[in-house]
Every structure is written in C-alpha cells, then in structure tokens.
Amino acid sequence: AQKITQTQPGMFVQEKEAVTLDCTYDTSDPSYGLFWYKQPSSGEMIFLIYQGSYDQQNATEGRYSLNFQKARKSANLVISASQLGDSAMYFCAMRGVFSGGYNKLIFGAGTRLAVHP
Amino acid sequence: EAQVTQNPRYLITVTGKKLTVTCSQNMNHEYMSWYRQDPGLGLRQIYYSMNVEVTDKGDVPEGYKVSRKEKRNFPLILESPSPNQTSLYFCASSLLGQGLNTEAFFGQGTRLTVV
C-alpha cells in the first residue's frame, strides 16, 4: 500500500535559519510524484514544490528545495532563510499509478512549523 | 480567476440533520475529489469523480454521498451526520490524464462540527 510518513509533528526554527521537514514514502509504483503543501492558519492548501520520481535533479522553488533520495524513499523539504510567515502546517503528498483515477493524492500527517523571531 | 469554491466555510450542525457542502470549479476540470483532514492523520480521500456521472469511493467513504450531475459541481452530502464526521473538509479539482505533476486546486476548506 502507498503511504507517506512525516515523523515530526512539530518543529521550530529561528528566523533566518534553514529548516528541514522530513518525509518518507512507500510505494511499489516505478513512477510517482511527490508534493509539498503549506497550510497557514487560515486553512487553505498552498502548493510549494514538486518532484518526479524520474527527475535527475532535486526540485527548487525560491527558498524551498526538495532533498530527494530515491533509494532511501525520502523527500525532505528544506526551507532556507526562514521567515515568520513560514509558520504553518506542512504536508508531504504523493501521487502515483494507483486507485483514485491516477489523480489521487496521498498525504502524510503533517508537520507544524513555528518560526521564532 | 481559476478557483475552487466551497460553501459554507464553517458549519455547526446536530447529529442526524442532513447537510450538503457544495463545491464548484471554473476550470473545466474532469477530476474532482473530497478530502477530510484530521489531526495526526493528514488528508484522506472520501470520494472522487473522473467526469459527469462517474464517481467512486476513496479511502474513507462511509457516511458520505456525492453526485456529479454537472462538470463544475461536486457536492458532498452527509445524510445523517455523526460527531465522528467533525472535521475540516477540502474539495479539489484537476485535469485528468496530464501526468503526475498535474496541479491540484483546492477549495478554501469547510470546517464542520457535528454536535
């Protein structure tokens, strides 16, 4: 069965420092995609970054980068130069060729990040 | 503006009183789905639809119904809500058959409390 595991229920970081949010996944599909979403206190889901299983390079989007280690089945999110506005819940998610019409996203439990001034 | 609109945003109801949460998208997406978010469990798929009149169960469908009579709308129906359906609900839509990196658009969420 496909599964996403986020082992850090909560994290905190000092403003301007970097932080890594952990995500491991389990799937037997050879082809899959990994996503990170941010959920601020207002509740909406904000897409941050995507990594395909066949992508050779780690994905980057501004201050966000994805540390993709395929052999270890991990897809950690790295946020550089943290800002107070980064305080939110972060979800790792996966999409593959399984049930749900190919568009289904499977989510981890989430990590709540607090950025301290 | 491309968007998924859910209503209501907040709802408090009593056990057994039927309710409907509406979801509408303006992007002509074939695929629509409902998720519920619970602490420690993340988001779990309730139902999904691949097109008009085509719906199927997700991972946690018990106690819910859906319909897809029009492409843009995908309402979630709780015929007899119970307290264990207290949760944050999201509707999402995306194009079908566009690859693994297809962007999913989420509604703003509906916070439901069943007392």
Side-chain angles (χ1 to χ4, degrees), chain A residues 83-94:
Chain A
Q83 301 172 355
L84 295 179
D86 293 333
S87 294
M89 179 72 88
Y90 289 81
F91 290 101
C92 181
M94 175 171 63

Side-chain angles (χ1 to χ4, degrees), chain B residues 55-93:
Chain B
T55 64
D56 207 348
K57 297 176 180 178
D59 296 319
V60 287
E62 293 77 21
Y64 304 95
K65 287 176 56 178
V66 294
S67 69
R68 189 91 180 272
K69 293 181 170 38
E70 305 165 284
K71 196 171 186 178
R72 64 184 293 125
N73 296 324
F74 190 46
L76 179 69
I77 304 155
L78 285 73
E79 298 240 330
S80 182
S82 62
N84 64 11
Q85 293 178 298
T86 293
S87 188
L88 177 60
Y89 291 86
F90 286 98
C91 179
S93 75

